Amino acid sequence: MDYKVQANFPPTMRAEPSQIGRPERIRGPQALSDGNTYRVWQKTDDVGGPAARYLLDSSDAPVYLVDPGINGIHRFRPDGTSVAKYDAPKATLMSYIIKGILNHQLPWALVILGVMIAIVLEMASIPSLAFAVGVYLPLSSSSPILVGGFVRWLVDRHLRRRLRHKKLSEEELTAEGDKSPGVLMASGYIAGGAIAGIVIAFMAGVLTDSNRRIEEWSIAHNPFYGGPHADLLSMIPFAILTMFLYLTGREVILAARNGKDG
């Protein structure tokens, strides 16, 4: 997490003694200039200021706003240095639903409207879950899903041609596709991406010095690390992983062995 100095807190913004938590020190780069101890205030309402986590001084006045590294909104510290922030749209969506239920403020009209849209989609033979995921996820997250769906479509086309002589039904063809080794590899991609995201967030939030040294080395030695077209470099491993998944789905590579082991 990161700390953001807020010099314009309302003077009437004070915490109740029962809401004040344990003492805490500043962590991260800002700890070099501030070694004081503050008390934690987890503000849960919007009265007098936004609901957030604050650090209070001895007079119970807020000094710092704690901006998390995941779903945080402040991307620059008071000294101008940038802060790495990570998005978690699924967690944000669930938090909105949980808060709405607990606070009895869930917009049920929107929920019912979504239910009706899902019913119409299912009646039109359109998977409502895939549609909903594409609606609330940003393009940066849904685009790889689209590419994965295209790979599955190509693999299923190949499977239909290969099994045409068996005259299988639609349900049987779907079952054959679900048994493809590409499905297992895609599941591994999902698990690997989740683990990699945790590692990257851990390095950015805990191993800040190591993460800074890696970034400095990349800027100095990798000509593709910065610049307006730096993101295009990531398309190379993405294309390789996509082709690897396609070939695995078609059982060109990593095909399951048939017959009994002798």
Side-chain angles (χ1 to χ4, degrees):
M1 66 180 59
D2 188 59
Y3 300 91
K4 179 75 176 179
V5 174
Q6 296 286 321
N8 56 347
F9 286 123
T12 57
M13 188 174 174
R14 291 291 187 274
E16 297 292 336
S18 60
Q19 298 177 332
I20 299 177
R22 56 180 177 79
E24 184 175 299
R25 289 180 178 271
I26 301 294
R27 290 177 289 177
Q30 288 181 263
L32 300 177
S33 58
D34 189 346
N36 297 324
T37 300
Y38 299 92
R39 293 191 293 175
V40 178
W41 176 26
Q42 188 67 49
K43 193 172 184 296
T44 57
D45 53 52
D46 295 326
V47 179
R53 193 166 183 258
Y54 297 90
L55 299 185
L56 311 177
D57 58 15
S58 57
S59 63
D60 295 340
V63 180
Y64 288 95
L65 167 67
V66 181
D67 192 52
I70 299 177
N71 287 331
I73 59 176
H74 298 283
R75 298 186 179 273
F76 294 94
R77 299 188 182 93
D79 58 1
T81 58
S82 61
V83 184
K85 299 294 181 180
Y86 302 94
D87 298 326
K90 292 183 180 180
T92 302
L93 177 64
M94 294 306 299
S95 67
Y96 288 158
I97 296 175
I98 293 173
K99 289 179 181 178
I101 294 175
L102 295 179
N103 297 335
H104 302 286
Q105 296 178 349
L106 188 66
W108 287 104
L110 296 178
V111 175
I112 295 175
L113 176 61
V115 172
M116 300 305 297
I117 292 175
I119 293 175
V120 173
L121 291 172
E122 292 292 342
M123 293 176 63
S125 300
I126 299 175
S128 58
L129 179 59
F131 177 83
V133 169
V135 167
Y136 79 83
L137 282 181
L139 287 177
S140 59
S141 299
S142 58
S143 297
I145 298 177
L146 175 63
V147 174
F150 184 67
V151 171
R152 174 65 187 263
W153 177 73
L154 291 176
V155 172
D156 285 346
R157 282 190 60 189
H158 168 75
L159 188 64
R160 289 174 182 272
R161 290 196 301 266
R162 194 182 71 182
L163 301 177
R164 185 181 304 167
H165 64 283
K166 293 186 177 182
K167 298 181 179 179
L168 300 177
S169 64
E170 192 68 28
E171 292 77 11
E172 291 172 333
L173 286 172
T174 302
E176 289 293 331
D178 291 340
K179 293 189 296 184
S180 168
V183 174
L184 296 177
M185 175 162 286
S187 301
Y189 280 4
I190 296 173
I195 295 174
I198 294 174
V199 172
I200 293 173
F202 179 80
M203 291 185 63
V206 179
L207 304 178
T208 53
D209 293 336
S210 300
N211 191 65
R212 188 186 71 255
R213 286 195 293 267
I214 293 174
E215 183 177 354
E216 292 174 351
W217 183 91
S218 300
I219 294 174
H221 298 86
N222 186 357
F224 300 100
Y225 184 78
H229 305 294
D231 291 340
L232 294 178
L233 184 65
S234 62
M235 294 301 297
I236 297 176
F238 180 76
I240 294 175
L241 290 174
T242 301
M243 181 58 64
F244 196 63
L245 177 63
Y246 173 69
L247 295 177
T248 302
R250 288 192 55 172
E251 300 187 20
V252 176
I253 58 176
L254 301 180
R257 291 183 298 176
N258 296 322
K260 297 181 179 180
D261 293 330

